Every structure is written in C-alpha cells, then in structure tokens.
Amino acid sequence: MYLNLIFLGAPGAGKGTQAKLLSEKLGIPTISSGEILRDNICRRTRLGLEAQDFVERGELVPDDLVVSMITSVLRLPAYQQNGALLDGFPRSIEQAKALTLALKTVLNQEIYRVFYIKVGKGELAQRLSGRSICPVCNTTYHDTKNPPLVTQRCNKEGATLYRRSDDTYATTLNRLQVYFNHIIPLVDYYDRKGLLEIINGEQSVEKVNSEIYQKLGEMARTPQLSLA
Ligand code: ADP
Ligand code: ADP
C-alpha cells in the first residue's frame, strides 16, 4: 500500500508513538525529523553541527536545512515504494508548501491525510518529563503512562532506555511556546485543503491508535484506498 500521512501535534502529543504503531500495521516507513536531526547531531555531521544549537534551545531548525533533509529522505527506495508517515515535519507553512512541492516533483504523489493529535498543556508537560527512548529502535516509553515491561529496558531490543537532552523543564517550555506560535496557521492550512482529521490525544495509546486506524478505514471505503 502507498500512503503519505502527516502527524501534527505538540511535543509530547504522541506523534512518534502513533506513527510507529501505524508503521508496524501498514508497512509504511516513518520519517521523524527530530530523530534524523538527533542522529546527525550524534554523528557530528555537517547538518548535525548546523542544527545542534537550535535543537538544544528548543527552537526550530531553519526551514532550508530541514526541507533539504526531508526531500533527500523521500528519494530513498522505501519511501518511493510505500510513501511516508511523517512525524514532526512540517512544522511551518514554508515547510508544508515545500513538502507538497517535493512530493509532487520527486514522487508525483500527494498527501493523503493529516492527523492533528490534540493534547492539553498540563498533560504534555507530564508526558515529556517521563519520556524515555530506545537507542536502537527509537520506541518511546513513559515512566508511568506507557512503561516498558522491565524498568528502563526496551521491550523489543532489551537496550537501556535514554532521556532526550531537550526534555528538560526549561527547554520543554520553549518548545511548547514555539509549537503554539506555529500550529494554528498550519492546522488552518491543511483544513482549507480538506485534509485535516482532529484526534483526541488524551485517550490511551491504544484508543488513539484505533481512532486513527478507524478514520483511515472509513476513507478506505472510497475507491482511492484499500487497507486490505
Ligand atoms: P511526540 O512524538 O508527539 O513528541 P511521543 O510519541 O514521544 O510524542 O510521546 C511522548 C510521551 O508520552 C512518551 O513518553 C510516550 O510514551 C507518552 N505517550 C504517548 N502517547 C500517549 C498516550 N496516548 N497516553 C499517555 N502517554 C502517551
Ligand atoms: P517532539 O517530540 O518534542 O515533537 P521532535 O523530535 O519532533 O520533538 O523535534 C526535536 C527538535 O528538533 C525540535 O525542538 C526542533 O529543534 C528540531 N526539529 C524537529 N523537526 C523540525 C522541523 N520540522 N523543523 C524545524 N526544527 C525541527
């Protein structure tokens, strides 16, 4: 199956969690802009060195850097064949326009649907302060809300989980502020295009996932898509 889906939402809304679950169900690979940036920072690539200060301050990395990063990922065979579940990109109108153009020119494809996962500020702060991640498969856990089976170990890889360096209190506040400055125009942009689905992200991980899946199933009853 070929699909391009976008997950919009605040830091901590559950974009990464949901994109991964859906990827396992549908066999469509994810693209997480944050994950790619963290990997580049860790490997000290040119992109990583340019992006590092922005990520550490919780600010947006400049559009041109992120757009060329995502465009080159979209050219990889797995994405050309299956489409992409986009987590964390786009984050600005400029990025949204660049994505539409890149999909059209690189792949002759379009965005199928945009899922906006909505969660209130209090819940977001709690989620970010308890988040931990597997260094091998990037699966995300939460100390109390979504704990691993064995404390601090990934259920799939057994690796020791780590905390993101930008999940500190001060950086989190900045990230949330940056998010709220950008989200309304972005949501309006996709709403006007008729692509937006709003999901209540304050439900359990499983419930949010089944709601997204159900919405896709409803659309599958139109001739363009089959989830079979
Ligand atoms: P995002 O990618 O939007 O920043 P994550 O998927 O990393 O968000 O989730 C943030 C934190 O919240 C993680 O610790 C994750 O385990 C937890 N989480 C995700 N979805 C839910 C949910 N529906 N209910 C409770 N906790 C959740
Ligand atoms: P979260 O899980 O909090 O939503 P991400 O992992 O998506 O965070 O992003 C972490 C950081 O990487 C952001 O705070 C920002 O500095 C940078 N970043 C990620 N995606 C983008 C993007 N699309 N545009 C600009 N900066 C980005």
Side-chain angles (χ1 to χ4, degrees), residues 10 33 62 132 160 167 187:
S33 46
S132 57
T160 304
D167 275 348
V187 164

Side-chain angles (χ1 to χ4, degrees), residues 66-214:
V66 186
V67 166
S68 64
M69 171 182 102
I70 298 292
T71 308
S72 57
V73 174
L74 284 172
R75 288 181 204 279
L76 297 173
Y79 299 101
Q80 296 218 14
Q81 283 155 23
N82 303 294
L85 308 185
L86 287 144
D87 151 27
F89 182 93
R91 261 175 155 96
S92 65
I93 297 288
E94 288 69 24
Q95 292 181 14
K97 289 182 176 162
L99 174 64
T100 301
L101 188 68
L103 284 173
K104 187 87 213 143
T105 53
V106 177
L107 303 170
N108 197 26
Q109 292 291 350
E110 293 182 347
I111 293 155
Y112 185 74
R113 217 67 195 158
V114 177
F115 290 101
Y116 173 31
I117 306 177
K118 272 187 105 166
V119 172
K121 280 186 190 168
E123 172 72 11
L124 292 171
Q126 283 181 29
R127 287 192 189 177
L128 293 171
S129 66
R131 170 158 69 180
S132 57
I133 302 172
C134 172
V136 180
C137 66
N138 284 308
T139 297
T140 302
Y141 298 89
H142 189 277
D143 295 348
T144 54
K145 294 172 189 285
N146 183 23
L149 298 171
V150 177
T151 312
Q152 287 307 312
R153 299 265 171 193
C154 176
N155 292 350
K156 297 172 205 161
E157 304 291 339
T160 304
L161 305 179
Y162 75 96
R163 298 223 187 253
R164 274 173 45 179
S165 60
D166 60 344
D167 275 348
T168 57
Y169 182 69
T171 313
T172 292
L173 286 186
N174 198 26
R175 283 160 58 210
L176 289 173
Q177 190 56 53
V178 168
Y179 163 79
F180 284 108
N181 290 343
H182 284 89
I183 190 63
I184 291 173
L186 203 51
V187 164
D188 282 352
Y189 176 83
Y190 284 121
D191 197 17
R192 271 185 270 117
K193 287 183 177 291
L195 292 174
L196 193 72
E197 292 288 345
I198 299 178
I199 304 285
N200 172 9
E202 301 223 8
Q203 310 170 89
S204 70
V205 170
E206 296 72 25
K207 187 79 193 26
V208 174
N209 193 249
S210 65
E211 209 171 299
I212 292 173
Y213 201 65
Q214 189 193 333

